[in-house]
Amino acid sequence: MPVAEQVDGLHVDEITVKYGGVTAVSGQTLTAPRGRITGLIGPNGAGKTTTFNAISGIVRPASGQVFLFGEDVTHSAVQARARKGLGRTFQRMELFDTLTVAENVVMGKEAAVAGRRPLAHLRISPANKRLARASAADAMELCGITSLARRRPAELSTGQRRLVELARTVAGQFRVLLLDEPSSGLDKRETERFGEILTTLVRDQGVGILIVEHDMALVMSTCDHIHVLDFGRPIFEGSPREVANSALVRSAYLGSEAAGLEVAAP
Ligand code: ATP
């Protein structure tokens, strides 16, 4: 087990999250260091989104700790965690249809500077606005959507919208990204392309990614290490091959994505 204070990225230590009398996550420990893609998988209702919410500060764990770059942020607000380098996407896309793709992506950088308060966006200095535009241009290039810059999200396919959403998060120049089912709605080819972009992001920019994903082919082909949750409890962790070969994991997935695990076994 790594020493929490020395992890170059995210470290979650034994968190338990309760909603009233329901324990949604119990004793989850994981590490998502920079330069690696870490997977968090499990059947529906296993507690993956709840774990993300505890990491990003939307819910408070009943016990346990969250560390970012060695600092205990368990009691820090969402925006304070973002300023320390933690970015996140949500299951449901939140693009602004009245803005162009480029403007949506610029918002990613501005939000990292100003938070979610609209007035703070208006007060951003011209120098920071230029910086935001440059970050957005780089992010769109990395995600292969530069040619869509002037279009509006409503005109795009789901696959293209997912890439806009990713570019917006990338533009925030966060050091650790939490991606919640980022490939949902994508076809096979788009999912493969998405995986390639994630791998490039990690390799070229040293970002750390923690990904919740139901598409096993994407998980197996991109993740360096995978944690498996079932009924709120961590049941297994290991390499993609170890996860794919685990009888425990297969039985947890019985009747759902078990076939995906078989196909994906490297
Ligand atoms: P899915 O793959 O379907 O998105 P998940 O693994 O992300 O599921 P969570 O959404 O974290 O699972 O849910 C974990 C458990 O906590 C479930 O039993 C769910 O019903 C419960 N839960 C989630 N959010 C709340 C809430 N706000 N209040 C009460 N219970 C909740």
Side-chain angles (χ1 to χ4, degrees):
M1 185 58 55
V3 179
E5 283 78 7
Q6 291 172 4
V7 173
D8 184 22
L10 168 72
H11 181 71
V12 173
D13 191 21
E14 289 270 334
I15 56 163
T16 291
V17 182
K18 297 184 179 183
Y19 295 113
V22 178
T23 301
V25 172
S26 178
Q28 175 70 60
T29 293
L30 60 83
T31 296
R34 293 180 71 194
R36 286 165 71 100
I37 302 181
T38 306
L40 178 61
I41 66 171
N44 289 336
K48 304 177 297 292
T49 297
T50 300
T51 302
F52 265 25
N53 287 343
I55 293 169
S56 56
I58 293 173
V59 299
R60 286 283 142 81
S63 60
Q65 289 168 292
V66 179
F67 294 86
L68 270 176
F69 301 96
E71 198 177 327
D72 185 346
V73 295
T74 316
H75 301 288
S76 303
V78 174
Q79 204 50 40
R81 299 180 202 211
R83 281 196 296 271
K84 289 189 199 322
L86 184 70
R88 173 176 184 177
T89 65
F90 290 84
Q91 265 178 38
R92 222 167 49 96
M93 279 188 279
E94 290 185 323
L95 297 174
F96 299 101
D97 281 332
T98 52
L99 303 180
T100 64
V101 164
E103 287 163 347
N104 265 282
V105 177
V106 165
M107 290 283 283
K109 179 64 183 167
E110 290 186 353
V113 174
R116 286 182 162 241
R117 293 157 296 142
L119 284 179
H121 284 257
L122 295 176
R123 286 198 295 269
I124 292 176
S125 69
N128 274 336
K129 280 200 190 300
R130 275 197 299 279
L131 194 67
R133 279 199 295 272
S135 302
D138 288 348
M140 286 192 292
E141 165 116 32
L142 186 128
C143 296
I145 56 166
T146 305
S147 62
L148 304 177
R150 290 170 189 274
R151 305 270 296 277
R152 308 227 170 230
E155 302 164 11
L156 307 179
S157 68
T158 303
Q160 289 169 324
R161 287 166 62 88
R162 285 276 172 211
L163 291 175
V164 176
E165 191 189 37
L166 179 65
R168 189 173 59 178
T169 309
V170 169
Q173 296 179 317
F174 298 107
R175 295 184 288 169
V176 173
L177 296 181
L178 309 180
L179 305 181
D180 199 350
E181 294 189 34
S183 86
S184 126
L186 304 192
D187 66 25
K188 190 165 176 289
R189 177 68 203 107
E190 288 171 328
T191 303
E192 281 168 11
R193 174 82 193 109
F194 198 90
E196 287 161 13
I197 292 169
L198 294 187
T199 309
T200 304
L201 181 62
V202 167
R203 188 191 59 217
D204 292 359
Q205 301 190 6
V207 171
I209 291 178
L210 179 63
I211 183 170
V212 162
E213 183 53 64
H214 282 289
D215 186 305
M216 285 303 148
L218 179 63
V219 170
M220 294 294 163
S221 63
T222 58
C223 289
D224 299 288
H225 194 79
I226 300 171
H227 294 262
V228 188
L229 267 176
D230 191 23
F231 292 113
R233 294 184 176 277
I235 60 164
F236 194 83
E237 67 169 291
S239 68
R241 179 188 288 271
E242 287 165 345
V243 167
N245 291 333
S246 159
L248 198 61
V249 175
R250 281 168 186 277
S251 77
Y253 268 100
L254 216 58
S256 52
E257 290 100 338
L261 279 170
E262 277 153 32
V263 170

